[in-house]
Amino acid sequence: LSRAPWSPWGAGLVVLLACWPFVRGLWQRRRLFRGTHERRLQASLGLLRADLAAYGVPTTPAHTLEEPLQIAKARLGVDPGQALVARADAVLFGGREGTAEDVRRAETLRREVKTRLRHRNGWTATLCAWYGLPRPASRAGRAAPDARLSAT
């Protein structure tokens, strides 16, 4: 170590970079494990929107509950089922009591969507999503603006 005084700093940086996705994931999911069932359900659906956005799927908090689920169904083939949508609407906006079963169903849907996003988009997009980096533009995405500009 006396010949390489920078090695502890380098090792620390490697550990930090390796642990970052896990710590970031735990921080994002912290609201899933505390609070009322309503808050946990709201956190799960918020994470679903965040997961879709991290992989480049256009969704924002301004969308209604049904819109991200329709996008997930159209792009990934994941059917949330009308029962989950109706129950989530009733709990979040209708004043109904949430249950552990509601949270479990929402989390099952979120994990399924995340798995399909990971398989569909590949490792580059997955690593960008894990680290919270902007997704690199695809070649088709880079060619599209030029084609639109030349068409006008």
Side-chain angles (χ1 to χ4, degrees), residues 130-141:
W130 282 352
Y131 282 93
L133 301 172
R135 188 171 172 204
S138 65
R139 290 190 177 131

Side-chain angles (χ1 to χ4, degrees), residues 24-134:
R24 184 174 179 268
L26 286 173
W27 183 256
Q28 287 178 331
R29 291 188 308 267
R30 73 190 182 280
R31 294 183 303 147
L32 292 175
F33 306 112
R34 66 173 76 152
T36 63
H37 293 300
E38 291 84 8
R39 287 199 177 268
R40 291 171 56 202
L41 179 63
Q42 185 178 17
S44 180
L45 295 173
L47 283 173
L48 174 65
R49 285 186 177 125
D51 289 342
L52 287 168
Y55 281 91
V57 178
T59 183
T60 66
H63 284 139
T64 64
L65 176 61
E66 289 84 14
E67 289 171 328
L69 297 176
Q70 288 173 352
I71 292 170
K73 184 176 182 179
R75 289 191 178 209
L76 304 170
V78 176
D79 186 16
Q82 281 302 106
L84 174 64
V85 174
R87 183 68 184 152
D89 273 338
V91 170
L92 297 177
F93 306 112
R96 302 280 175 131
E97 278 291 315
T99 64
E101 179 66 20
D102 298 331
V103 176
R104 187 194 62 76
R105 279 193 277 171
E107 271 302 289
T108 301
L109 173 67
R110 186 184 69 81
R111 284 193 296 269
E112 177 66 24
V113 166
K114 197 168 186 175
T115 299
R116 293 209 185 174
L117 283 167
R118 192 171 44 243
H119 289 298
R120 182 172 184 246
N121 292 303
W123 281 106
T124 303
T126 299
L127 286 173
C128 288
W130 282 352
Y131 282 93
L133 301 172

